[in-house]
Amino acid sequence: MAGRSEKTRKSTSEHRLDQYRGMRRAERTPEPMSGASPRGGKRHFVIQKHSATALHYDFRLEAGGVLKSWAVPKGPSTDPRDKRLAIRTEDHPVDYLGFEGAIPSGEYGAGKVIVWDTGTYLNLAEEEGRRVPVAKGVGQGHVKVWLEGEKLRGGYALTRTGREGARERWILIKLSDEGADARRNPVSTEPASVRSGRTLDDIPEDGS
Ligand code: MN
């Protein structure tokens, strides 16, 4: 039975990556094409700084065997008064958690990527006293998590506010807790990768 459910789980998360793979040419981009979550253990998040057509921060939460993803043009704030627009993007493979490098020009998402922050998270979403799985919450338009990153710590809420064609518009807000700090502005004061110490400028145009 255990083997059977593992298989089912895998095929579901593989199917969730169809859109991701359909948008990319595996032989041309250095981006990972697979990777699933191990059973049990803590779930991870990553925020990647990405100099694509427009600079943005990709906020990704490991859930349902993939990385649920949003593009945040201004990046996350530590000030609970800030509402940051977050556009939902395609699910990414779990192996994307550590990805840094340059996506070649002409390819989808062409530009440089660094791991701006990463760590583990706890799911805070509850409905009538019951935990709502993150993947389910994404479908319902409500996500609430506690981040344990190097730059970001504390609660964040993501709420769907509407749709623009095929795109879902969400808002990312810092919750009021000990991780909140209106004076910090890590997006501008802490630009380097927590993985390599490199900034986007340090990433070579071709290669990783
Ligand atoms: Mn991106």
Side-chain angles (χ1 to χ4, degrees):
M1 282 305 280
R4 191 191 170 95
S5 73
E6 184 68 32
K7 235 180 229 166
T8 307
R9 214 170 68 98
K10 184 157 195 286
S11 67
T12 304
S13 63
E14 290 292 303
H15 179 69
R16 285 183 181 137
L17 295 174
D18 287 351
Q19 187 187 3
Y20 174 93
R21 292 189 182 123
M23 294 164 92
R24 290 168 175 78
R25 294 188 283 180
E27 72 281 10
R28 295 291 309 275
T29 178
E31 296 167 291
M33 286 294 142
S34 61
S37 297
R39 267 215 180 288
K42 292 196 168 175
R43 292 296 175 232
H44 297 84
F45 81 93
V46 66
I47 298 170
Q48 276 146 328
K49 189 175 180 182
H50 184 187
S51 62
T53 313
L55 179 74
H56 60 273
Y57 293 75
D58 289 297
F59 186 96
R60 311 188 197 281
L61 295 172
E62 184 183 5
V66 294
L67 299 178
K68 296 291 175 189
S69 299
W70 295 261
V72 184
K74 290 186 175 175
S77 177
T78 52
D79 184 348
R81 294 171 301 184
D82 287 338
K83 292 183 170 69
R84 294 286 161 90
L85 171 67
I87 303 290
R88 173 102 187 273
T89 55
E90 74 278 13
D91 293 347
H92 277 48
V94 172
D95 284 357
Y96 215 94
L97 280 167
F99 176 70
E100 274 191 11
I103 301 167
S105 63
E107 301 308 305
Y108 179 75
K112 299 171 178 183
V113 177
I114 57 166
V115 175
W116 183 78
D117 198 16
T118 192
T120 58
Y121 77 88
L122 295 169
N123 178 15
L124 300 178
E126 279 187 2
E127 199 174 58
E128 291 163 4
R130 281 196 194 165
R131 201 64 84 199
V132 181
V134 170
K136 187 180 176 190
V138 172
Q140 295 175 340
H142 297 285
V143 171
K144 205 195 276 188
V145 290
W146 181 278
L147 303 182
E148 290 286 348
E150 292 184 36
K151 293 173 183 170
L152 301 184
R153 203 174 160 270
Y156 279 84
L158 276 154
T159 307
R160 188 167 55 219
T161 57
R163 287 187 166 86
E164 250 179 27
R167 309 199 102 183
E168 295 181 15
R169 292 170 67 93
W170 292 58
I171 293 288
L172 173 67
I173 301 178
K174 177 74 197 78
L175 301 178
S176 295
D177 53 42
E178 70 256 36
D181 187 342
R183 292 159 307 177
R184 263 190 86 203
N185 188 3
V187 160
S188 40
T189 61
E190 298 172 61
S193 163
V194 296
R195 186 189 149 190
S196 64
R198 297 183 294 183
T199 63
L200 282 174
D201 286 343
D202 298 328
I203 304 284
E205 295 286 344
D206 292 310
S208 55

